[in-house]
Amino acid sequence: MTITLSNLRKLTIERDEHKRSPVYKKQSPKAKKAIDDVMTMLAKTPSKVLTMFPRILQQVAKKHRIQPKDIETYFEKETGLTI
């Protein structure tokens, strides 16, 4: 079975793929930086995403002086799941 370039693009997950979404583009600059920090912190520990997510959310929200609910709302809109 040969892999075409378009199939290879679908298989690879890019590091900054979340920046292309329309939901991300509608966020404020402060929220975008917070979301980027959350994504990089989650990428460091992919096996513990579910256990680390609430703590990471609190840390990033405090660092960027943003409400954790704003970040949660982004992830809810992006994934369609409630947190």
Side-chain angles (χ1 to χ4, degrees):
M1 181 176 162
T2 61
I3 297 177
T4 62
L5 183 59
S6 61
N7 289 339
L8 183 62
R9 285 184 186 153
K10 291 177 186 176
L11 293 174
T12 58
I13 299 172
E14 294 182 21
R15 190 175 80 188
D16 295 333
E17 187 174 345
H18 66 278
K19 292 183 179 181
R20 295 183 191 159
S21 82
V23 178
Y24 178 83
K25 291 179 182 179
K26 291 180 183 178
Q27 301 296 317
S28 68
K30 191 182 268 190
K32 287 180 182 180
K33 289 178 185 179
I35 292 167
D36 291 341
D37 280 353
V38 169
M39 293 299 215
T40 56
M41 293 176 95
L42 290 176
K44 291 179 184 176
T45 57
S47 62
K48 300 179 182 181
V49 169
L50 293 177
T51 57
M52 298 288 288
F53 189 73
R55 188 170 16 148
I56 289 173
L57 209 67
Q58 292 295 324
Q59 290 173 349
V60 170
K62 187 176 181 180
K63 176 182 174 184
H64 290 281
R65 296 180 186 166
I66 190 171
Q67 294 294 320
K69 187 66 179 169
D70 295 338
I71 301 171
E72 289 175 7
T73 304
Y74 163 77
F75 282 104
E76 288 173 1
K77 287 180 181 177
E78 192 68 41
T79 62
L81 303 173
T82 57
I83 298 175

